[in-house]
Amino acid sequence: MMPETATFEMHPNLRKFLSAQPKRLWIGGKWVEARSGKSFETCNPATGDALARVAEADRADVEEAVRAARKATEGPWSSLSPSERGKLLYRIAELLEKHAEELAQLESLDNGKTIREAQKGDLPLAVDLFRYYAGWPTKIHGETIPVSVPYLPGARFFHYTVREPVGVVGAIIPWNFPLLMAAERIAPALACGNTVILKPAEQTPLSALRLGEILEEAGLPEGVCNILPGFGPTAGRALAEHPGVDKITFTGSTEVGREIVKASAGNLKRISLELGGKSPNIVFADADLELAVKGMFMGIFYNQGQCCSAGSRVFVEKSCFDALLEKMVERAKTVRQGPGLDPKTQMGPLVSQEQLDRVAGYVESGKKEGAQLLCGGVRGEGALSKGYFFKPTVFAGVRDEMRIAQEEIFGPVATVLPFESFEEVVQRANGTAYGLVAGVWTQDIKRALRLAQVLQAGTVWINCYHFVDAAAPWGGYKQSGYGREKGQYAIDLYTQIKSVWVDLN
Ligand code: ADP
């Protein structure tokens, strides 16, 4: 079952982690089989070979995890002081950092992403989330408000607010940044004193399970975090429906986001949704064009294009359209594809056969609708044909209403579109159901800031792309979701406010 990579020395801890199989669920502080006894395989997308067997949670396990998480809200966790909670989160950050190399390798193996991206992106960002939120428990507080009652003139009251945890948080996350997404939910939820049930994506359950071991090592009381790999329509749905879950935080497709909203209506769970995108990346002719090409490229091809924030609609001002398109295509043609663990690899495989088929389907639809395929458009050949590789793809001759310009592809497929005026590009950039992010490339600061005002997006990057930070809010406009994760905004998601009146008369 062990994957072979000619050029890579597997971390001994990772070897040990992978040799203990099947991997189990983490419920109430114990590593257990699924109640049903079922398990599923997760594979190495670079080869399609099995990587590990993992216990498959379903409704019965969710039931148990909810019981454990509820019990933990009343146990030692609730009496831990904010300062102790902060220390615990800090300890988790330290341990994650200590195990970063091993985790980066695991992430690369299970997801397919390049080791470099895992080492430089996913891991330090995940560590930073725990470190950032370690500072928060001591700073979550209420306020006093000068209240009065109109029909009791002169009466005196003391009023204060308290921020309390929401309770049991269900976190349903996707496969594109498995550990990072887990950290993004667990860190603020714990900082606010909640307990968590995490359902990682079925394609990439391993780093979440290793994170569970780290949480255990850090001394997290039992049941405070529970980790349940399983499938969406079973484990995910059971979590979203469960009356004992107080909040769902979800990242994934807009389609499943809608399902989550419906499923959670029974007990009116609090919900935050980070959904799909079809984000515009807009380049004006006065931009630093070298930088802009890098930004166009990284915007769509980072993580094989499997980013909700992918800059998949690249708008280029007409006067520099041909030149930039040519550079983009040139670059795309020379990308070195290979297993993520090979340090020479610049682009890994897609996560699964299903994803490969989906991306290929979109390319076919683009061709059928008359778009001009300039490079890529096919899966990897030769040694790459065993894995789920898809060549970096660039389309020109795209009309805004084509499916490849409207729907989220979630793969390495760029549509490059010319534009002529500011007003035109704003209208077209805003012309999809989504509103997650937007990129702007220009040296004219007034133009950049005017664009930042009118673009309907939760994040606008000016002369940069894909930058994120634990302190910066993240979330979408329109059908890209609601609620803001990260930064102080996440404190609102993971707490509820109590308003207390005291009669002083
Ligand atoms: P993607 O399209 O990126 O695979 P999905 O939205 O399908 O994203 O999946 C994101 C997460 O949602 C995964 O953990 C998946 O298992 C889960 N999921 C899928 N369908 C459902 C559902 N009906 N209810 C709850 N969770 C689901």
Side-chain angles (χ1 to χ4, degrees):
M1 291 261 247
M2 211 65 88
E4 288 308 325
T5 49
T7 50
F8 211 81
E9 189 72 35
M10 192 183 284
H11 194 287
N13 285 358
L14 177 52
R15 208 168 270 285
K16 195 167 133 217
F17 175 79
L18 287 175
S19 65
Q21 288 187 34
K23 308 309 302 174
R24 295 178 166 182
L25 315 176
W26 196 39
I27 301 180
K30 299 193 175 52
W31 294 96
V32 296
E33 306 279 348
R35 279 258 168 133
S36 66
K38 283 204 256 174
S39 62
F40 66 101
E41 227 159 44
T42 177
C43 80
N44 173 356
T47 59
D49 295 337
L51 187 56
R53 278 211 86 78
V54 179
E56 179 188 331
D58 64 19
R59 195 167 286 272
D61 308 289
V62 167
E63 199 64 56
E64 200 138 315
V66 172
R67 255 198 306 274
R70 178 61 59 194
K71 192 161 160 232
T73 60
E74 292 144 16
W77 182 236
S78 62
S79 50
L80 218 56
S81 72
S83 151
E84 285 167 323
R85 230 166 43 228
K87 273 191 215 152
L88 184 51
L89 285 166
Y90 203 83
R91 201 147 63 230
I92 296 168
E94 298 282 284
L95 281 172
L96 265 183
E97 195 160 55
K98 180 172 148 205
H99 295 295
E101 177 55 25
E102 164 206 346
L103 282 159
Q105 291 186 15
L106 179 58
E107 203 70 320
S108 170
L109 261 181
D110 204 12
N111 164 278
K113 66 177 69 213
T114 66
I115 184 71
R116 192 185 149 75
E117 286 180 12
Q119 286 166 336
K120 304 275 178 208
D122 303 56
L123 261 297
L125 288 167
V127 170
D128 202 40
L129 278 156
F130 278 100
R131 209 165 266 148
Y132 172 82
Y133 282 107
W136 265 104
T138 49
K139 292 155 198 87
I140 298 170
H141 51 68
E143 33 186 14
T144 57
I145 298 175
V147 293
S148 59
V149 175
Y151 53 84
L152 293 175
R156 291 178 174 272
F157 299 91
F158 173 54
H159 178 279
Y160 65 96
T161 63
V162 195
R163 275 192 186 259
E164 296 184 340
V166 169
V168 175
V169 172
I172 302 176
I173 56 169
W175 44 258
N176 56 346
F177 295 95
L179 185 72
L180 185 53
M181 292 284 161
E184 193 181 295
R185 308 312 148 96
I186 293 172
L190 297 189
C192 295
N194 299 281
T195 60
V196 178
I197 302 167
L198 174 78
K199 194 205 83 63
E202 52 272 35
Q203 297 85 347
T204 55
L206 296 179
S207 56
L209 293 172
R210 184 68 186 101
L211 174 64
E213 294 180 351
I214 287 170
L215 297 176
E216 192 176 27
E217 191 183 341
L220 196 70
E222 65 183 41
V224 172
C225 187
N226 304 271
I227 300 181
L228 271 66
F231 290 84
T234 50
R237 192 183 170 90
L239 196 55
E241 282 178 348
H242 202 291
V245 174
D246 301 296
K247 172 183 165 59
I248 290 285
T249 166
F250 171 77
T251 294
S253 58
T254 294
E255 193 187 356
V256 173
R258 261 187 214 105
E259 293 295 315
I260 300 270
V261 172
K262 282 188 218 148
S264 64
N267 67 331
L268 294 175
K269 289 179 185 64
R270 279 119 191 90
I271 298 191
S272 43
L273 300 172
E274 203 262 271
L275 307 175
K278 190 72 188 174
S279 299
N281 198 4
I282 306 168
V283 183
F284 284 87
D286 73 338
D288 175 333
L289 294 182
E290 283 305 312
L291 215 61
V293 172
K294 276 190 201 150
M296 290 158 64
F297 193 84
M298 198 260 291
I300 180 62
F301 294 129
Y302 190 78
N303 209 32
Q304 290 78 248
Q306 301 167 132
C307 299
C308 46
S309 53
S312 48
R313 290 182 300 144
V314 186
F315 289 99
V316 181
E317 195 166 6
K318 204 163 187 182
S319 59
C320 64
F321 182 83
D322 290 339
L324 291 204
L325 183 63
E326 193 182 325
K327 284 197 173 140
M328 177 102 170
V329 171
E330 235 169 62
R331 236 183 128 114
K333 280 181 175 164
T334 58
V335 169
R336 252 195 323 272
Q337 288 187 282
L341 281 182
D342 183 337
K344 291 194 296 298
T345 294
Q346 293 171 321
M347 189 188 275
L350 300 181
V351 74
S352 63
Q353 180 67 48
E354 188 188 353
Q355 196 57 18
L356 185 70
D357 293 341
R358 176 191 158 100
V359 172
Y362 271 111
V363 168
E364 283 317 301
S365 121
K367 288 199 288 196
K368 241 186 238 144
E369 287 191 87
Q372 193 188 349
L373 178 67
L374 298 181
C375 66
V378 289
R379 63 182 297 178
E381 294 141 2
L384 302 184
S385 58
K386 244 187 106 204
Y388 310 129
F389 293 90
F390 199 82
K391 292 197 175 169
T393 301
V394 180
F395 273 111
V398 179
R399 289 188 314 279
D400 290 344
E401 66 278 12
M402 289 181 180
R403 281 184 64 211
I404 56 167
Q406 287 293 323
E407 296 177 20
E408 183 174 47
I409 298 177
F410 228 64
V413 182
T415 56
V416 189
L417 308 117
F419 73 90
E420 285 184 77
S421 74
F422 182 93
E423 290 69 25
E424 174 205 340
V425 80
V426 168
Q427 197 225 339
R428 293 171 65 197
N430 287 337
T432 72
Y434 295 112
L436 191 58
V437 304
V440 173
W441 301 83
T442 173
Q443 304 210 46
D444 178 343
I445 188 68
K446 286 188 189 168
R447 173 149 64 192
L449 293 178
R450 270 169 54 216
L451 271 166
Q453 284 181 338
V454 292
L455 288 171
Q456 294 162 352
T459 293
V460 178
W461 284 302
I462 298 174
N463 296 325
C464 59
Y465 206 91
H466 277 330
F467 286 173
V468 289
D469 187 278
W474 184 258
Y477 278 35
K478 300 195 281 185
Q479 290 182 39
S480 289
Y482 44 75
R484 292 291 176 271
E485 301 284 351
K486 301 208 280 197
Q488 69 175 22
Y489 297 88
I491 305 300
D492 292 333
L493 297 183
Y494 297 99
T495 55
Q496 51 191 344
I497 294 168
K498 185 173 280 171
S499 172
V500 183
W501 288 71
V502 186
D503 186 341
L504 298 183
N505 301 292

